[in-house]
Amino acid sequence: MKVLTAIPVYNEERHLLKVLREVRRHTSEILVVNDGSSDRTPDLLAEQHGPRVVTHAHNRGYGAALVSAFNYVLGHDFDVLVTMDCDGQHEPARIPVLLEAIHDCDIVSGSRYLRDFRQDTLAPEDRRRINRQITQELNDRFGLNLTDAFCGFKAYRTGALARLRITETGWGMPLQLWAQAALMGLRIKEVGVPRLYLDPKRAFGGVLNDAEERLAYYRRILAAAEADFACPWLPACPTSSPLSEGTCR
């Protein structure tokens, strides 16, 4: 199984080298999507040997960075794409856990709320509240049973990625992805990962720094995703079944 690990980055000079060093211990093929960083991130990447790099000339958004990773893996000879953030929230040592779990699934997603870990930290109250609300609304609309709609630590089979049509470029992209995955009947699994917030004050940027504006934005994406029921390239929503650690739907 040939695996590519993709890391979207935007102004991550503080964490980049440490994350790359840890990721190299668990995967040999790494892609960094530099989403228009204006700090020393481009210079640090230029000094690295080994990682593949896709560069956006300007900041296009978290979703756009992941779409670039999706397009890259589909254009190359890989079986599985792992995605993870570069802010210290995801432990590269758990990449093998994702890869072990994907043997009978299309998407394996980390969940920070599926189980407790010794190293868990408290999530900012507004983030936990919104995650809980939106995860429940996503489950209700699309017949899923997720516990964490927003964790970016995932593994995808490239055949599943080829079926997606992701257009959302911002932080809400995972909601569009989950809606499409449900509508297509993709096999989904969650595995527990630690909940780590090294910088609880880290901002989303712009109006999304306001919790209620962020909640409204997510709900707009969910509402728009329902229109995909009418898209000819999507089948009807499948009958749902429970999701749990180690179990596919």
Side-chain angles (χ1 to χ4, degrees):
M1 182 169 64
K2 192 172 181 183
V3 179
L4 178 68
T5 298
I7 310 170
V9 300
Y10 175 64
N11 291 348
E12 292 289 3
E13 62 181 8
R14 289 176 52 202
H15 301 287
L16 178 65
L17 296 185
K18 180 180 179 180
V19 169
L20 286 176
R21 184 167 60 249
E22 292 297 317
V23 171
R24 286 190 184 101
R25 296 181 179 181
H26 305 282
T27 182
S28 60
E29 297 286 357
I30 303 171
L31 170 70
V32 178
V33 181
N34 174 22
D35 189 30
S37 296
S38 57
D39 64 354
R40 293 184 59 247
T41 295
D43 297 330
L44 295 175
L45 282 173
E47 297 168 0
Q48 298 299 300
H49 298 286
R52 306 163 187 239
V53 179
V54 169
T55 300
H56 295 172
H58 56 86
N59 182 242
R60 291 164 50 189
Y62 177 72
L66 286 176
V67 168
S68 288
F70 295 170
N71 289 336
Y72 187 95
V73 77
L74 290 172
H76 295 77
D77 186 26
F78 291 98
D79 303 303
V80 173
L81 175 70
V82 172
T83 61
M84 60 175 292
D85 296 345
C86 193
D87 57 3
Q89 288 196 53
H90 302 152
E91 296 180 329
R94 298 190 182 272
I95 290 174
V97 177
L98 297 180
L99 296 179
E100 181 181 2
I102 204 168
H103 72 281
D104 59 351
C105 286
D106 297 306
I107 301 175
V108 176
S109 185
S111 171
R112 296 159 292 181
Y113 301 104
L114 189 61
R115 52 171 289 205
D116 295 329
F117 290 85
R118 172 185 51 79
Q119 62 267 53
D120 282 350
T121 60
L122 290 175
E125 189 282 330
D126 65 315
R127 297 194 184 197
R128 181 161 191 156
R129 172 177 59 85
I130 290 174
N131 191 330
R132 183 173 59 249
Q133 288 178 262
I134 292 298
T135 298
Q136 187 58 56
E137 292 177 25
L138 179 72
N139 291 339
D140 291 343
R141 285 176 185 259
F142 299 102
L144 294 170
N145 195 17
L146 297 170
T147 61
D148 187 352
F150 291 101
C151 185
F153 202 10
K154 288 182 170 64
Y156 306 84
R157 288 193 177 276
T158 53
L161 286 177
R163 299 176 61 190
L164 300 175
R165 302 290 185 274
I166 304 300
T167 58
E168 174 56 42
T169 61
W171 292 108
M173 182 278 277
L175 303 180
Q176 185 184 47
L177 185 147
W178 283 130
Q180 292 186 14
L183 294 171
M184 294 175 189
L186 297 184
R187 300 168 300 166
I188 299 165
K189 181 186 294 183
E190 281 191 320
V191 296
V193 297
R195 184 175 59 254
L196 304 175
Y197 281 91
L198 304 185
D199 183 6
K201 296 183 179 179
R202 190 177 176 114
F204 287 86
V207 298
L208 296 189
N209 288 336
D210 180 271
E212 295 312 308
E213 291 282 354
R214 194 162 69 250
L215 180 59
Y217 158 63
Y218 292 150
R219 284 174 168 159
R220 287 194 297 272
I221 292 175
L222 288 179
E226 286 193 308
D228 283 341
F229 277 100
C231 289
W233 53 271
L234 284 174
C237 184
T239 301
S240 62
S241 59
L243 257 177
S244 62
E245 188 166 24
T247 302
C248 287
R249 67 176 295 279

